[in-house]
Amino acid sequence: MSNRLSLTLAVAILLFTSLALAEQTGPKRRVLAADYSGGKKRLALVGPAGKVLWETKINNIHDVHLLENGNILTQTDWTRVVEFDKEGKVVWEYNAAKANGNEGKKIEVHAFQRLPNGDTMIAESGSGRIIEVDREGKLKKKIKLKLDNPNPHRDTRNARKLDNGHYLVAHEGDLKVREYDGDGKVVWEYNAKTQVYSAIRLKNGNTLIGTGSGHSVIEVTKDGRIVWAVSENDMPGCKLAWVTQVARLENGNTIIVNCHAGPNNPQIVEVTPEKKIVWSFKDFEVFGNAMPVAQVLDIKGDVIR
């Protein structure tokens, strides 16, 4: 083979690699996701054809939301929560390390949520509290969290305010999911015995949990019975690793974000109640092996929120 032909093939291979697109099985969808691994550190919106429609650099990240106005609520590191508009301009930000009594403290944020009244809920690890702040960063509400093993990095993972005004919190360090009422009283608790990442309350009153180090998703009743689960090796073609965010769709299927599973496995899947994969997403060019958050769009019904 001539040197010129060898060079041409090498360039072609490099070009093909650089243009590699996201792999989706099933219906084509937009995916908003982020990866904080070395060399990636990117939050991106990937279109149905696999091309990046929007992206920004981030550092550490454990939560993200596409808001109803089309803006993106996310974080750029463990303390700074920001809102980007459609052009990528920061239109709101809050630094938990420098506000509302946290100066000089070790603080990390692993969950946040825009509330219907326009305020923002933020779960603070380190200070061990959930706060709500307005657009000016003024503290409107705070509740103290119960912590058996306080740790600035592990107090919380995802947390959500429920429609009844309660808060559902995944406590990674305590291996538990707790529900707090509006005054901070624990009204429900589930011992997952794993480093839980997420919990959402379903319409039937059950709780869907991404078990983190448990390599599984479980649905539990109010009295703590597991009524549905998908585990590490239940789905051919997808080995579950650190299970992070989860969502239950109106059709009964479940969205699972599969972090740290390696390039042989999809990073996100949609699975039926019978544990059959009907959609998957994998992109190890734009993202890497540390993609803990994703919001799957273009589907009827609920998305990760």
Side-chain angles (χ1 to χ4, degrees):
M1 183 182 292
S2 69
N3 290 337
R4 176 174 293 183
L5 181 56
S6 297
L7 179 60
T8 301
L9 286 173
V11 171
I13 292 171
L14 179 61
L15 181 61
F16 177 82
T17 302
S18 66
L19 295 177
L21 299 177
E23 299 176 25
Q24 293 195 46
T25 64
K28 304 303 180 184
R29 298 163 172 166
R30 291 176 300 151
V31 172
L32 176 66
D35 185 282
Y36 61 84
S37 57
K40 302 295 183 179
K41 298 188 180 299
R42 174 188 288 123
L43 169 67
L45 177 64
V46 178
K51 295 183 179 180
V52 174
L53 306 178
W54 178 90
E55 66 175 303
T56 188
K57 286 292 184 182
I58 52 94
N59 194 355
N60 297 308
I61 188 169
H62 271 160
D63 208 355
V64 69
H65 303 265
L66 181 64
L67 303 177
E68 291 185 1
N69 62 5
N71 291 356
I72 294 172
L73 184 67
T74 187
Q75 61 191 132
T76 57
D77 55 41
W78 285 146
T79 63
R80 183 172 177 254
V81 181
V82 301
E83 179 183 347
F84 291 105
D85 67 13
K86 297 176 183 178
E87 285 71 45
K89 178 183 177 182
V90 175
V91 295
W92 181 83
E93 65 178 292
Y94 182 85
N95 192 332
K98 299 180 179 180
N100 293 312
N102 284 340
E103 296 82 356
K105 298 179 181 179
K106 173 63 175 175
I107 302 293
E108 290 188 13
V109 171
H110 300 277
F112 39 85
Q113 180 183 2
R114 180 61 45 79
L115 303 178
N117 66 358
D119 291 346
T120 302
M121 183 211 77
I122 300 171
E124 295 180 346
S125 290
S127 63
R129 65 182 186 175
I130 284 179
I131 63 172
E132 296 178 12
V133 298
D134 62 17
R135 296 295 291 186
E136 287 70 45
K138 181 180 179 182
L139 186 65
K140 302 291 291 293
K141 184 176 182 178
K142 63 179 178 180
I143 69 164
K144 193 67 177 175
L145 298 174
K146 177 183 177 181
L147 299 169
D148 299 330
N149 303 286
N151 182 292
H153 184 63
R154 292 160 51 82
D155 286 349
T156 62
R157 282 299 178 261
N158 277 182
R160 298 291 182 257
K161 189 169 187 179
L162 305 177
D163 292 340
N164 63 1
H166 292 189
Y167 304 87
L168 193 62
V169 183
H171 291 280
E172 184 186 73
D174 287 354
L175 314 182
K176 295 176 181 178
V177 175
R178 295 188 177 104
E179 179 182 347
Y180 300 81
D181 68 14
D183 296 320
K185 179 183 177 181
V186 176
V187 295
W188 183 79
E189 180 176 281
Y190 179 77
N191 186 356
K193 301 177 183 179
T194 67
Q195 297 176 61
V196 289
Y197 190 101
S198 60
I200 59 171
R201 181 60 43 78
L202 302 177
K203 292 179 180 179
N204 62 7
N206 294 346
T207 302
L208 191 68
I209 299 172
T211 67
S213 63
H215 313 293
S216 64
V217 181
I218 58 176
E219 179 183 342
V220 300
T221 63
K222 291 181 180 179
D223 59 1
R225 291 183 297 109
I226 297 177
V227 294
W228 183 82
V230 57
S231 300
E232 182 176 8
N233 298 306
D234 283 350
M235 299 178 292
C238 178
K239 186 180 180 69
L240 292 179
W242 203 280
V243 175
T244 56
Q245 294 185 314
V246 295
R248 175 63 51 79
L249 306 181
E250 287 186 355
N251 62 9
N253 293 350
T254 301
I255 296 286
I256 305 170
V257 181
N258 187 27
C259 190
H260 305 318
N264 293 326
N265 294 287
Q267 293 143 311
I268 318 171
V269 295
E270 177 186 346
V271 59
T272 68
E274 295 75 33
K275 307 178 187 180
K276 178 183 177 182
I277 295 175
V278 294
W279 175 85
S280 68
F281 176 92
K282 182 168 69 171
D283 187 338
F284 278 84
E285 292 295 326
V286 175
F287 308 109
N289 202 36
M291 194 183 85
V293 300
Q295 192 164 8
V296 183
L297 312 175
D298 305 324
I299 55 179
K300 182 179 179 181
D302 295 335
V303 295
I304 294 172
R305 59 185 178 182

